[in-house]
C-alpha cells in the first residue's frame, strides 16, 4: 500500500491519538433556564438588563440542547468526532451556589455523558464557563474570596457523580474574560467596571482553580486529567521601538504571565505587580494561596482567535482600543500608555483579523516556556454571516479557509516540537454569543433558532473529512 493511502502521522502531521473535537458551553446552548431546579446565573441577570446584550437576547432557550442533546450527540457521531468539550452549569448542580446538591441537575449531565460514551465520544467537561450563580454575585461574586471555596464544593459534587465517566476535567474557561470583561470593562456579566475589583476577581478565580483542582483530585480516579483553559494572547509589538516593546511587555504580563506564572511557578510576575500598583496593593493574596494555585495540572487548554498587536500610546492620536473586546472602557486593569492596533488580514464577522501565525507563535512559546506541559487547543473558530440557502445548504468557505489555516498552524507547531494533543473547534452549534446574543454564528452546524433545526454547514462536512483522514483537504 502506498504512503498516500494511509493517514499516517508522517503524512498528516497530526500524531497518533490526536484528539479531534468540538466545544460548546452550557449557557450558550442549553436553554431550559428554569428547569429541574436550575436557578439564575449572572448571565441570566445580565442578559435581562436593558442594553447589555444585543437585541435583548437571553439564554432562556438558546439551542435547546437540554432537550435535544440526544440528537446533538448523534450529529457529532455522524461527523465522526472523537471528543466533546462542554461545560457544566453550576446553577443546575448547586442552585444558589451553596448548599445541597441538586441531583436533578446532575441527572442531565449523567444522561449526556452516557450518550457520549455510547457514541464513542470522549467527554471533556469544563466546570466554569461563566455562569456564576446569582446569589454568589450578590455576596460579592469573584471579588469575594469565599466564592473560590464554594467553587471547590461544587467541583467535588460534580466529580463525585460524574468522575467515573469523564476522563478530562477543566476547572475554568478563560478566567481573563471572567475577571477583566466581567469586572473590568463590564461588557460581560456581572457588568462591573472597576480595575481593582477585576484584579481581585482574577486572583480569586485562580484560587478557585487551585482549590477546585484539589477537590477534583480527591474525587477522581487517578488516571483522570485536570486542566485549565486560558485565552492567552499572541502579543506582538508594532515595532522594535523600546516604547512599543514595553507596551508589549505590559500586555503580555496582563494577558499571559499573570496566569502562567502563578499556575506553573507559584508567583505573580514582579513587573505586573509594579504595573498595577496604582490600581491595587494585591492584599487579597493570602499566605498559602500561591501554593494552592500552583498545584500540578495535567495539561493546559488554549483558546485562540486572533493576535493582539500593541504599541506605545500616541497622546496626540485618538485612543486606539482595537483589542477585539467591545466596550468603551478598557478591560485591561493598567494599560495606560498602550495602544491596540488591528492585525493585518481579512476580518471575521466579529471584526477579528484572521491570522493563523498567532496560534503558531503561542503554541511554540508555550513549548519553550512550559516544557513538558501537554497542550490542547480548546477553542478556535470563526463567526461569519451564514445563512441557509433555499436548497437547505449553508456554504461557509471563509470558515473553511479559517480552519484550514489554523489547523495548518497547529500542524506546523507540532512539527516544531509543540506538544499539542488535541483540537476542539468552536463551536459545534450556532449559539448565544454572550453580549452579541444570537447575532454571531460560530457553529459548524447552523441552528435556526425559531424551529431549532440543525443544518451542518459545508465546514462541518469539511471538518468531518479532516477528522476521518487527519489530512487538511483543499
Ligand atoms: C470565547 C468563549 C466562548 C465563545 C468564543 C467565541 O472567548 O470562551 O464561549 O464565546 O469566545
Amino acid at each position: 500500500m502506498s504512503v498516500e493511502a494511509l493517514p499516517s502521522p508522517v503524512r498528516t502531521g497530526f500524531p497518533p491519538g490526536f484528539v479531534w473535537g468540538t466545544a460548546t458551553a452550557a449557557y450558550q446552548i442549553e436553554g431550559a433556564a428554569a428547569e429541574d431546579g436550575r436557578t439564575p446565573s449572572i448571565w441570566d441577570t445580565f442578559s435581562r438588563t436593558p442594553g447589555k446584550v444585543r437585541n435583548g437576547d437571553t439564554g432562556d432557550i438558546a439551542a435547546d440542547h437540554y432537550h435535544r442533546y440526544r440528537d446533538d450527540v448523534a450529529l457529532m457521531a455522524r461527523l465522526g468526532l472523537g471528543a466533546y468539550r462542554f461545560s457544566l452549569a453550576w446553577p443546575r448542580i448547586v442552585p444558589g451556589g451553596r448548599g445541597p446538591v441538586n441531583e436533578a441537575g446532575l441527572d442531565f449531565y449523567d444522561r449526556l455523558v452516557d450518550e457520549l460514551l455510547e457514541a464513542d465520544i470522549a467527554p471533556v467537561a469544563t466546570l466554569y464557563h461563566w455562569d456564576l450563580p446569582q446569589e454568589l454575585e450578590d455576596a460579592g461574586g469573584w471579588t469575594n474570596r469565599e466564592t473560590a471555596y464554594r467553587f471547590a464544593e461544587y467541583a467535588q459534587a460534580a466529580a463525585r457523580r460524574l468522575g467515573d465517566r469523564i476522563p478530562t476535567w477543566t476547572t475554568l474557561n478563560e478566567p481573563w474574560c471572567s475577571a477583566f470583561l466581567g469586572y473590568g470593562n463590564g461588557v460581560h456579566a456581572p457588568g462591573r467596571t472597576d480595575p481593582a475589583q477585576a484584579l481581585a476577581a482574577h486572583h480569586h478565580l485562580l484560587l478557585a482553580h487551585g482549590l477546585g483542582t484539589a477537590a477534583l483530585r480527591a474525587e477522581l480516579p487517578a488516571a483522570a486529567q485536570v486542566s485549565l483553559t486560558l485565552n492567552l494572547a499572541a502579543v506582538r509589538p508594532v515595532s522594535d521601538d523600546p516604547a512599543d516593546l514595553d507596551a508589549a511587555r505590559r500586555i503580555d504580563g496582563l494577558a499571559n504571565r499573570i496566569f502562567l506564572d502563578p499556575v506553573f511557578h507559584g508567583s505573580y510576575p514582579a513587573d505586573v505587580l509594579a504595573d498595577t500598583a496604582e490600581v491595587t496593593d494585591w492584599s487579597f493574596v493570602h499566605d498559602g494561596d500561591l501554593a494552592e494555585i500552583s498545584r500540578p495540572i495535567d495539561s493546559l487548554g488554549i483558546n485562540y482567535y486572533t493576535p493582539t498587536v500593541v504599541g506605545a500610546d500616541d497622546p496626540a492620536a485618538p485612543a486606539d482600543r482595537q483589542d477585539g473586546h467591545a466596550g468603551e472602557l478598557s478591560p485591561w486593569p493598567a494599560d495606560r500608555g498602550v495602544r491596540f492596533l488591528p492585525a493585518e488580514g481579512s476580518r471575521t464577522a466579529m471584526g477579528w483579523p484572521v491570522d493563523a501565525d498567532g496560534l503558531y507563535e503561542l503554541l511554540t512559546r508555550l513549548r519553550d516556556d512550559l516544557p513538558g506541559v501537554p497542550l490542547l487547543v480548546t477553542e478556535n473558530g470563526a463567526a461569519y454571516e451564514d445563512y441557509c440557502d433555499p436548497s437547505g445548504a449553508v456554504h461557509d468557505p471563509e470558515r473553511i479557509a479559517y480552519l484550514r489555516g489554523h489547523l495548518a498552524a497547529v500542524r506546523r507547531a507540532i512539527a516544531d516540537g509543540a506538544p499539542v494533543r488535541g483540537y476542539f473547534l468552536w463551536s459545534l452549534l450556532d449559539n448565544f454569543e454572550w453580549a452579541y446574543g444570537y447575532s454571531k454564528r460560530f457553529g459548524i452546524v447552523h441552528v435556526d433558532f425559531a424551529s431549532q433545526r440543525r443544518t451542518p454547514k459545508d465546514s462541518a462536512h469539511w471538518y468531518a473529512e479532516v477528522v476521518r483522514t487527519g489530512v487538511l483537504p483543499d
Side-chain angles (χ1 to χ4, degrees), residues 440-459:
K440 303 293 177 199
R441 295 179 174 273
F442 274 90
I444 53 170
V445 174
H446 182 272
V447 177
D448 176 309
F449 291 103
S451 66
Q452 292 297 344
R453 219 175 92 111
R454 273 75 166 139
T455 307
K457 304 177 189 177
D458 288 355
S459 57

Side-chain angles (χ1 to χ4, degrees), residues 24-35:
T24 64
Y27 190 71
Q28 295 180 274
I29 64 164
E30 284 180 359
E35 270 178 60

Side-chain angles (χ1 to χ4, degrees), residues 24-25 28 85 129-130 173-174 177 181 188 229 231 303 305 325 350 352 379 381 426-427 431-434 442:
T24 64
Q28 295 180 274
R85 173 178 181 257
H129 202 127
W130 308 353
N173 176 71
E174 301 191 355
C177 293
L181 300 180
H188 279 188
T229 279
N231 55 319
N303 294 353
Y305 291 92
H325 302 287
M350 297 293 284
W352 297 346
E379 284 182 28
W426 184 273
S427 180
N431 59 50
F432 175 83
E433 178 46 39
W434 308 115
F442 274 90

Side-chain angles (χ1 to χ4, degrees), residues 267-324:
S267 60
Y268 278 113
D271 62 327
V272 171
L273 298 180
D275 289 344
T276 55
E278 66 194 54
V279 173
T280 177
D281 60 7
W282 290 76
S283 55
F284 42 76
V285 181
H286 293 190
D287 283 353
D289 284 3
L290 285 154
E292 204 65 67
I293 291 169
S294 58
R295 284 173 181 280
I297 52 175
D298 302 301
S299 64
L300 179 66
I302 318 294
N303 294 353
Y304 173 82
Y305 291 92
T306 192
T308 304
V309 183
V310 298
D313 204 2
D314 174 357
D320 216 334
R321 286 260 359 279
Q322 303 210 42
D323 64 352

Side-chain angles (χ1 to χ4, degrees), residues 357-387:
D357 289 341
L359 180 54
Y360 174 85
E361 290 160 21
L362 207 48
L363 294 172
T364 47
R365 177 230 178 123
L366 294 168
R367 168 201 68 194
D368 298 339
D369 287 2
L370 303 175
V373 177
L375 306 173
L376 292 167
V377 176
T378 37
E379 284 182 28
N380 175 240
Y384 286 105
E385 308 288 348
D386 306 314
Y387 70 97

Side-chain angles (χ1 to χ4, degrees), residues 229-284:
T229 279
L230 301 174
N231 55 319
L232 298 175
V235 181
R236 295 189 194 139
V238 68
S239 85
D240 287 345
D241 186 283
D244 291 335
L245 293 177
D246 193 59
R249 175 204 57 75
R250 185 179 274 255
I251 294 306
D252 179 56
L254 290 167
N256 300 328
R257 291 179 290 107
I258 198 171
F259 295 99
L260 297 175
D261 283 19
V263 170
F264 291 98
H265 307 304
S267 60
Y268 278 113
D271 62 327
V272 171
L273 298 180
D275 289 344
T276 55
E278 66 194 54
V279 173
T280 177
D281 60 7
W282 290 76
S283 55
F284 42 76

